């Protein structure tokens, strides 16, 4: 699945356009590398998102096309 779509489906970032902007401005890393919005993500990948001075690290546990809001938390685990 594309990075921008995953961030929206998992509700890490609320809108796909915002997720795209984050990736285009080099504020998202996948496995330690700067990622484009079209970067393919898979189970086990590590996402690092930079918001201002704060960095948050996530591990992808599952990938689904559609998920309910209550189940979105099950798609990832926060590491830092």
């Amino acid at each position: 699945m594309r990075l921008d779509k995953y961030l929206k489906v998992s509700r890490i970032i609320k809108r796909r356009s915002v997720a795209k902007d984050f990736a285009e401005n080099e504020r998202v890393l996948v496995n330690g590398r700067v990622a484009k919005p079209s970067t393919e993500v898979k189970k086990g990948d590590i996402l690092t998102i930079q918001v201002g001075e704060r960095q948050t690290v996530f591990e992808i546990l599952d990938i689904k096309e559609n998920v309910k809001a209550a189940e979105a938390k099950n798609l990832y685990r926060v590491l830092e």
Side-chain angles (χ1 to χ4, degrees):
M1 177 181 288
R2 287 174 54 106
L3 173 63
D4 56 348
K5 184 171 181 183
Y6 179 80
L7 291 172
K8 183 214 178 276
V9 169
S10 65
R11 291 171 173 79
I12 292 173
I13 296 179
K14 300 289 184 196
R15 290 184 203 92
R16 190 167 176 178
S17 60
V18 175
K20 182 177 178 251
D21 289 342
F22 265 68
E24 286 176 344
N25 292 310
E26 299 183 352
R27 292 168 40 186
V28 180
L29 305 176
V30 176
N31 298 324
R33 294 185 175 168
V34 175
K36 294 181 180 179
S38 61
T39 300
E40 289 293 317
V41 294
K42 58 190 181 306
K43 289 182 187 179
D45 282 351
I46 304 296
L47 300 178
T48 306
I49 299 178
Q50 179 98 25
V51 181
E53 295 295 317
R54 185 173 159 203
Q55 258 191 357
T56 308
V57 181
F58 303 92
E59 178 184 2
I60 297 176
L61 300 177
D62 199 5
I63 294 179
K64 294 183 181 176
E65 291 293 322
N66 297 313
V67 71
K68 294 179 182 174
E71 299 170 4
K73 296 178 206 161
N74 300 329
L75 298 179
Y76 62 89
R77 176 174 54 188
V78 179
L79 301 177
E80 288 180 30

